[in-house]
Structure formats: C-alpha cells, structure tokens
Amino acid sequence: MSKVSLPRHVHRVVSRGREYFYYQEGRGTPQAGERIRLPDDPQTAEFWNAVRQAQGTFGPTATDTIGALIDAFEVSWQTRQRKISKGTQNHYRRYLKAPRKAWGDLPASELRPRHVDALIRKIGAEKPGAANNTLDALKAMVAWALGPVELLTHDPTHGVERFAKGEGHHPWTPEQLAFAEENFTGIIRRFYFLSRYTGQRISDVVRLNPNDEDDGGFSLPQKKTGVKPWCPIFPELEAEMAKWERRPGPFLLQEDGKSKGKPFSTNQMWKAFDRERKKHPILEGAVPHGLRANAVIRLRDAGYSALQISDMVGMSVEMVEHYCRHADRKASGQAVLRELRERNDDATVKHWKSGKQK
C-alpha cells in the first residue's frame, strides 16, 4: 500500500499480510473511544468520507476546537478539487504542530489575531523563518475554513505580520566552486555537478535517474511543489555524466555502511555533504541550496529571462529575480562603469586630436 499520511486517531493494522484501517480516539488509554473499521484503500474518497463520519461529522465539518480544525484541514487534502502535493502536505503538517500544541483544545471561534501574533512573535524571536512558515500554514488552513466548508466566520490571522525576509541562501563563491570542481570525488562530486547545473533541491537531486532524461534535458516533477521543469543537460554536466557507469536507479547511491547501494534520502545526502564540508575550511558557509542560486545566476548571466529560467529550474519568477538581484545590480554597475570609461577615453582622444591640430 502507498505511504499515505494518516490523520490523528486513524491506525493501520497488518494481520496475515493484509492491511486494515481503524478510527479510534484515545487508543491504548482508559478513555479509548469506539473502534470504527474504515475502508481498505486510503487513496479513495470513500476512505476519507468514512474518516470524517467517524470524527462525528458528515462532510468536512469539524468540532469546535483548533485541534479538530487542523484535523479536518488535513483530512480535506485527499478530496480537494485542486490536489496538494505531498511535500506541501508535510510542510503544513510540520508547521501546524506549534498551533496545535498551543491551542489544540481551545475553541476555534475564540482564536483572535492577537493570539496568533503572540505565537508568531514567540517563534520568530529565535527562528523567524519557522515563524513565517507557521503563519503561512495557518493562513492556508484559515482560507480553507472560511470557504464553502464554513468552519470559521472570522480570520484569526488578519493583520498578523511576517518577519522580514532574509537574504536567503548565498550562492557559492567562485573560489568555493573552483575548489569543489577540482577536489570533490565520488558521490559528493556527482551531487555537486547535478546540483550546480540543474538548480534542483536536494530532495529532487537524490531522485534523478537516467529515466528522467528527456531529449537533452531532465524532466522530473519536483517533490515539494509538483512543478515539472525541463532542465537542459549543459555541456559541463554532460561531460561529467559521460564518466558515470550506466545502471538503473538514481545517479546517487550510498557508497558505504549498511545502506551501501541504496538511494539517499534528503537528510542522508545533507549529512554526507556536511561531513565533506567540515574537511575543507574554504567551504565554510556553503550549503547545497546555494548551488540553486548559482545555477540561476549563471543562466541570467548567459542572457536568459527570468521566465525562461523559471521554466528550466522550476522556481517562481519572483524567486529567480530575488536570487539574481545582486548579479543584476553588479552587471548594471559594471555597464555604467564601462560607459563612463568609454566616454572618458573618447574625450581624451578628441582632446589629443584637437591639440595636435594646433
């Protein structure tokens, strides 16, 4: 059976090689509720309708607590007209943990912007990025709850401000890029070239395999967004790939330990890179996501538009422009400097000529 994330109180039981699903609140406690059998396939609408009915609802109608509202929001993902990617589901689930912990048993109707603002400020005091993600997840849930399901009559996130956006991940310096290209070996070298010349996230780079090649490029739905960019296989990457043995499965397989020969998870690849980075002081501050910025800047320097880069990398036009902002400013400044030098040179020549005629 597929790895579908199950909502609270839904339990999977395997008996004699078969899977069964049950809904039971307080399972394993003295307050355990009724055990309700659910349909066998969690990928069907029938399964999720049964979950909602077991929650004491008909259709996506929650009880009056924040925790129940979050549960109903998560259940709705499986039957929405517009599908939500697994990556986005995991993102929402992760960042709704803090609201669930803070207000899980409180009435949803009593949640106000001041409460949300206090929580976001508390999280943001140490982790502004996490605070913004939490607010985004809450806004997504509230937008759904204010819609046709009519589970809320007010917006408790109204007016709550995000923390100022940071500079984002810095691109690698020319020195760091040169060092990696000259010194990296094995899987880390493969990871570096795939990341630098496709501009994909770690979660997508670890899944790339020969079957994703499509007429001179890579075509792979992104895990986080579901977007399917077409990434050209540039000559630098093509030359490197020509050295790799052709075999089925991902290009990146673990080289040692009990997991030797198995694919990398995102976390495992990050840890492998981090171990390599610690060996080389020149790589201090370099992170894999920075190579995504390098890929975008390289394409902009080659003259491609933000829209073209968006299609190739699978990044929003706004984010492309964000990453390219420094490079664009530098290019503009250099263009002005060249023009001033040309004017000065031209003025010097004219002055020399006029002086010679005297």
Side-chain angles (χ1 to χ4, degrees):
M1 185 61 65
S2 65
K3 299 178 181 178
V4 174
S5 296
L6 301 173
R8 293 181 72 199
H9 309 309
V10 174
H11 310 285
R12 171 178 172 269
V13 177
V14 178
S15 177
R16 297 181 181 179
R18 288 194 59 186
E19 286 184 320
Y20 301 92
F21 296 90
Y22 296 90
Y23 180 93
Q24 185 178 28
E25 297 186 18
R27 181 189 185 199
T29 70
Q31 293 78 35
E34 178 185 1
R35 192 184 194 210
I36 302 172
R37 173 75 187 278
L38 301 172
D40 293 334
D41 188 354
Q43 293 185 326
T44 63
E46 289 76 14
F47 178 92
W48 296 97
N49 287 332
V51 170
R52 289 196 292 267
Q53 292 176 13
Q55 290 174 328
T57 66
F58 185 80
T61 306
T63 56
D64 63 352
T65 66
I66 297 296
L69 185 63
I70 294 174
D71 287 342
F73 179 53
E74 293 181 0
V75 167
S76 77
W77 299 341
Q78 307 302 324
T79 55
R80 300 274 284 273
Q81 294 95 320
R82 186 174 180 178
K83 298 302 180 183
I84 299 176
S85 72
K86 297 299 181 186
T88 301
Q89 291 180 26
N90 291 335
H91 181 82
Y92 286 159
R93 189 176 288 109
R94 175 183 178 184
Y95 288 104
L96 287 173
K97 286 182 179 178
R100 187 191 291 276
K101 181 178 180 180
W103 314 311
D105 297 326
L106 300 178
S109 61
E110 295 183 11
L111 186 66
R112 292 292 183 269
R114 66 177 182 274
H115 304 136
V116 176
D117 185 62
L119 178 65
I120 297 305
R121 287 175 181 271
K122 180 180 178 181
I123 297 172
E126 295 183 359
K127 299 178 178 179
N132 289 342
N133 289 335
T134 300
L135 182 58
D136 290 343
L138 279 169
K139 284 182 175 294
M141 181 184 72
V142 168
W144 168 78
L146 287 172
V149 296
E150 298 183 346
L151 298 181
L152 283 176
T153 58
H154 71 288
D155 181 359
T157 67
H158 180 70
V160 180
E161 296 182 348
R162 293 167 54 85
F163 281 83
K165 198 169 187 177
E167 297 181 6
H169 298 284
H170 291 282
W172 289 28
T173 66
E175 294 75 19
Q176 290 172 330
L177 294 172
F179 178 87
E181 193 155 332
E182 293 171 8
N183 295 278
F184 280 178
T185 61
I187 287 300
I188 294 298
R189 183 176 180 84
R190 287 194 184 193
F191 171 68
Y192 165 78
F193 270 88
L194 286 170
S195 299
R196 181 180 179 187
Y197 291 105
T198 68
Q200 299 304 295
R201 301 178 182 86
I202 297 182
S203 58
D204 298 314
V205 172
V206 296
R207 296 186 298 126
L208 277 173
N209 68 76
N211 291 333
D212 298 317
E213 295 181 33
D214 176 24
D215 196 21
F218 287 122
S219 183
L220 175 71
Q222 293 183 337
K223 187 174 181 180
K224 180 178 179 180
T225 64
V227 171
K228 191 174 184 180
W230 188 85
C231 310
I233 299 177
F234 291 101
E236 297 90 341
L237 178 57
E238 184 178 26
E240 193 69 21
M241 290 174 61
K243 306 172 187 177
W244 304 347
E245 73 278 11
R246 301 290 292 186
R247 52 167 172 71
F251 293 119
L252 304 177
L253 294 178
Q254 298 185 56
E255 297 178 295
D256 47 40
K258 61 182 180 180
S259 297
K260 182 178 180 179
K262 294 183 179 180
F264 282 91
S265 67
T266 300
N267 191 46
Q268 288 169 334
M269 190 70 252
W270 170 261
K271 288 181 178 179
F273 169 79
D274 191 41
R275 288 193 294 270
E276 184 68 22
R277 178 178 60 175
K278 289 178 178 178
K279 300 176 185 177
H280 312 293
I282 191 174
L283 296 179
E284 183 179 358
V287 297
H289 210 82
L291 293 172
R292 188 162 162 82
N294 286 108
V296 168
I297 293 171
R298 176 177 177 273
L299 292 169
R300 174 57 71 89
D301 288 343
Y304 294 102
S305 68
L307 183 58
Q308 289 174 311
I309 298 171
S310 175
D311 289 338
M312 285 187 275
V313 178
M315 183 186 293
S316 70
V317 172
E318 293 77 15
M319 189 56 68
V320 169
E321 292 175 342
H322 172 76
Y323 276 130
C324 293
R325 181 174 56 191
H326 175 71
D328 288 347
R329 287 175 177 172
K330 184 177 180 180
S332 297
Q334 289 176 333
V336 170
L337 184 60
R338 284 194 301 271
E339 184 178 348
L340 287 172
R341 285 173 176 170
E342 290 170 359
R343 287 180 181 178
N344 289 336
D345 289 344
D346 187 51
T348 300
V349 170
K350 287 182 179 180
H351 177 73
W352 177 79
K353 286 183 177 179
S354 63
K356 186 178 181 180
Q357 290 173 350
K358 289 181 180 178

